[in-house]
Amino acid sequence: MSNFKNILAIETSGLFCSVALRSGEEIKYNFTEKENEHGLVILDFIDDLLKRFNLEKNELDLIAVSNGPGSFTGLRVGCSVAQALAFANDIPLIPLSSLAVLAHQAHSKFDMKNIFVITNAHMKELYIGSYQFENEQIKILEKECLISQEDLSNYVDINSTETLYVGNGITFLENIVDKNAYKNIFSHASNMFKLIDLAIEQKSYVAAEEVSPNYLSGEEQWQKAK
Amino acid sequence: MLVLGIETSCDETGIALYDGKQNKIIFECLYSQANKHSLYGGVVPELAARDHVNKFLPLLKKGFKDSGLSLKAIDAIAYTKGPGLRGPLMVGASFAKSLGFALNKPVIAVHHMEAHLLMAKYDAPNLSYPFLTLLVSGGHTILAKVDKSGSYKILGQTIDDAVGEAFDKTAKMLGLKYPGGPEIEKRSIQGKCMDYNFPRPIINSDDYNFSFSGLKTAVLYKVNSLKKKEKLSEELISNVCYEFQNAAIDCLLHKTKKALKDFHLNQVVLSGGVAANKELRRRFSEELGIGYSSIYPDFSHCTDNGAMIAFTGFEKFNLSKEDNRIFVNPRWSLEEIANG
């Protein structure tokens, strides 16, 4: 596989914080069902995982973080923690799209090739991304973006049997056929490792300071509000 | 003992390393986002938080590179836990706790305003307890008695706007750029004494409180009536600045004198961003009266900075050790230092 034996994965883009550690082939994880408690639990979660594997903090080889889009505060906690740990240990980081993580999770669970992710960005907006999984690879069909709820119907084909729609934003899809929609799925750090391996293959790991949250909504939002 | 200080409570990312044994600041790095926020006429908390994330590691790297020290050489990490803006504070807290966790070093929570006032001890080592302190910034206007490090009694504070906020808002009315404090100070130099009769709200009240909202409103009415008669010339703007600044300083000076007298203190430490105002310093130095003295941190330490957090972290080293939980206290009171 790779030179990265001990890999930490951090997922703080949604309501629930999860952290997973893979050492060799084995994956262990911590997860909370309490909403928006990322800051309160994340370091204790990591500490606990290291202890369960009997590892020291400086034995981590790589950290992956789901860097968005999602909860602004959650993303900042996840990215800051990942950056600080990577910088202190002089190890690389892998940023992963939170939507791609969710898509992969759905792909593994339902064995569907095409996954369309819709998550609630609040303020009547949605994050969307569309992916295709084939031959152990992930392909981006629709570039991740922020859209208004009204525009959603322009992006989806509710009669499609080829595509599975997932994420907490699908409640905004009217008349969706039940069997191709699944809303109760939340990103989980333990499901990040397939994408991490793909990223390692492509050598898309970077130095700590090169990672930042991908909010998908830029400063123009505030310029409009001025 | 080396303490790393991290400040992110508002719109400056400050990182500094302080050597407690030698009482020396090894390095200080500061990135101010003022230009970004000047587009909006004030700090946008979400954008401030975003910028802290982007600037933190590059600043930290630069500090250690320039000083030739290794991050692993530090003994503790101090960070601003509050008061301040929640989003920006969370970024500093996340980095501080994670660095402490990764390096197995203790993490110390610092109260932002306490750091401002204690920093005067670094810049003026002869300062002795007890003393009076006047904390004046964009978020605070507090008059407090300091019996010893960590023991503060708030005598009075603003009942509406902070004095720095009044400076910023007045500057905005006059079309001056953000941050308004330094702009008003600069314009005042050219300003003349007029008969605008700006109020000195609650200056004669029998307490140590301040109020600046009435002054701000009076300026607004004056500006509007001046505008009706003629175009707001540079000269008029300077005169309004002069009169406003004078009124604001009168209020601060009057209540400070009263507190010094009533509590039998003879020194006052001024700190916070507004304490960088030269006219304020001049008038305090000249008008407090015989037997009283005013003490200030260096100009660079009046505005937010990492050095004051590192210095205060060292002072607090034996008192406060934090666990792994990352959370902040945006409304932390100076009188509840022990319950951060």
Side-chain angles (χ1 to χ4, degrees), chain A residues 39-40 43-44 47 57 72 76-77 80-81 83-85 87-88 208-209 212-213 215 217 219 222-223 226, chain B residues 36 39-40 44 46-47 49-50 53-54 57 60-61 72 91 94-95 97-98 101-102 104 324-326:
Chain A
L40 291 177
L43 290 177
D44 279 335
D47 197 36
K57 291 156 185 165
F72 295 169
R76 278 194 287 275
V77 169
S80 305
V81 170
Q83 282 192 328
L85 298 185
F87 181 71
E209 65 268 32
S212 60
Y215 303 101
S217 68
E219 293 183 17
W222 280 267
Q223 272 152 23
K226 201 164 89 169
Chain B
K36 176 184 288 279
L39 291 171
Y40 308 93
V44 183
E46 172 62 23
L47 297 186
R50 290 181 178 198
V53 178
N54 294 336
L57 274 192
L60 184 72
K61 272 180 101 164
K72 296 194 166 59
V91 176
S94 300
F95 275 108
K97 289 280 174 83
S98 307
F101 174 78
N104 289 316
N324 277 334
R325 292 174 302 155
I326 300 167

Side-chain angles (χ1 to χ4, degrees), chain A residues 145-180:
Chain A
C145 61
L146 178 71
I147 61 163
S148 73
Q149 277 173 22
E150 299 149 25
D151 292 344
L152 184 59
S153 54
N154 302 333
Y155 291 87
V156 302
D157 170 12
I158 54 164
N159 297 316
S160 162
T161 50
E162 306 286 302
T163 303
L164 179 67
Y165 292 92
V166 301
N168 62 2
I170 62 168
T171 46
F172 299 101
L173 274 177
E174 282 167 32
N175 308 319
I176 181 87
V177 183
D178 274 351
K179 68 175 179 1
N180 69 342

Side-chain angles (χ1 to χ4, degrees), chain B residues 2 8 37 46 49 51 60 63 69 78 120 134 139 169-171 194 198 219 242 282 284 287 289 298 309 313:
Chain B
L2 297 175
T8 63
H37 300 289
E46 172 62 23
D51 226 18
L60 184 72
L69 283 166
L134 177 65
K169 286 178 176 169
T170 299
M194 308 296 283
F198 285 155
V219 175
Y242 177 91
R282 184 190 68 77
F284 268 71
E287 297 177 33
D298 281 352
I309 305 303

Side-chain angles (χ1 to χ4, degrees), chain A residues 171-218:
Chain A
T171 46
F172 299 101
L173 274 177
E174 282 167 32
N175 308 319
I176 181 87
V177 183
D178 274 351
K179 68 175 179 1
N180 69 342
Y182 192 78
K183 105 178 130 88
N184 288 323
I185 187 165
F186 300 98
S187 321
H188 195 299
S190 63
N191 291 304
M192 288 165 67
F193 291 101
K194 176 67 196 165
L195 296 184
I196 292 171
D197 289 335
L198 286 173
I200 292 172
E201 253 173 48
Q202 291 157 11
K203 297 205 180 339
S204 52
Y205 35 84
V206 295
E209 65 268 32
E210 287 172 55
V211 170
S212 60
N214 176 22
Y215 303 101
L216 276 190
S217 68

Side-chain angles (χ1 to χ4, degrees), chain B residues 11-22:
Chain B
D11 63 344
E12 342 251 356
T13 317
I15 298 177
L17 190 65
Y18 171 73
D19 183 343
K21 212 165 166 186
Q22 297 181 52

Side-chain angles (χ1 to χ4, degrees), chain B residues 55-314:
Chain B
K55 297 304 184 309
F56 188 87
L57 274 192
L59 272 185
L60 184 72
K61 272 180 101 164
K62 183 181 183 310
F64 279 98
K65 190 168 170 239
D66 292 354
S67 66
L69 283 166
S70 148
L71 178 67
K72 296 194 166 59
I74 65 169
D75 298 294
I77 297 155
Y79 76 101
T80 307
K81 189 175 189 172
L85 301 169
R86 180 179 293 279
L89 285 168
M90 273 302 279
V91 176
S94 300
F95 275 108
K97 289 280 174 83
S98 307
L99 286 173
F101 174 78
L103 302 166
N104 289 316
K105 303 292 180 191
V107 178
I108 304 151
V110 169
H111 187 288
H112 181 82
M113 299 314 287
E114 183 182 28
H116 267 305
L117 81 91
L118 285 184
M119 199 55 192
K121 271 183 65 182
Y122 177 80
D123 289 321
N126 294 330
L127 180 67
S128 60
Y129 297 108
F131 57 82
L132 185 72
T133 185
L134 177 65
L135 299 167
V136 276
S137 70
H140 301 269
T141 310
I142 296 173
L143 205 47
K145 183 170 180 258
V146 181
D147 288 311
K148 59 182 192 321
S149 170
S151 170
Y152 312 104
K153 169 87 187 127
I154 295 178
L155 306 177
Q157 53 193 319
T158 182
I159 57 171
D160 40 56
D161 290 355
V163 61
E165 197 181 351
F167 268 83
D168 287 343
K169 286 178 176 169
T170 299
K172 203 172 173 181
M173 285 177 221
L174 294 167
L176 305 177
K177 68 173 192 203
Y178 173 88
E183 282 299 302
I184 289 190
E185 181 182 357
K186 210 165 72 191
R187 299 283 180 141
S188 297
I189 299 169
Q190 271 94 44
K192 286 198 303 278
C193 181
M194 308 296 283
D195 54 357
Y196 292 161
N197 285 322
F198 285 155
R200 274 74 172 153
I202 69 171
I203 195 165
N204 290 317
S205 63
D206 193 25
D207 55 28
Y208 309 95
N209 288 336
F210 305 95
S211 165
F212 295 100
S213 116
L215 170 58
K216 185 188 68 188
T217 311
V219 175
L220 179 66
Y221 286 144
K222 189 77 214 169
V223 170
N224 286 345
S225 82
L226 286 171
K227 270 187 192 162
K228 270 183 202 151
K229 279 184 237 157
E230 55 194 310
K231 196 180 160 283
L232 218 49
S233 67
E234 293 296 313
E235 191 188 344
L236 273 178
I237 291 175
S238 297
N239 292 343
V240 173
C241 288
Y242 177 91
E243 286 278 318
F244 162 79
Q245 181 174 275
N246 241 354
I249 294 174
D250 278 350
C251 298
L252 297 173
L253 189 59
H254 188 86
K255 289 288 169 83
T256 302
K257 280 162 98 168
K258 178 173 155 66
L260 283 169
K261 205 168 134 246
D262 293 354
F263 290 88
H264 311 289
L265 299 166
N266 53 26
Q267 338 168 70
V268 58
V269 171
L270 277 79
S271 55
V274 181
N277 184 298
K278 291 200 189 70
E279 179 64 8
L280 177 84
R281 289 182 175 215
R282 184 190 68 77
R283 289 196 51 199
F284 268 71
S285 302
E286 289 177 8
E287 297 177 33
L288 279 182
I290 295 164
Y292 296 106
S293 60
S294 49
I295 293 151
Y296 317 90
D298 281 352
F299 284 102
S300 66
H301 293 146
C302 282
T303 44
D304 294 349
N305 63 86
M308 67 181 194
I309 305 303
F311 180 75
T312 306
F314 176 74

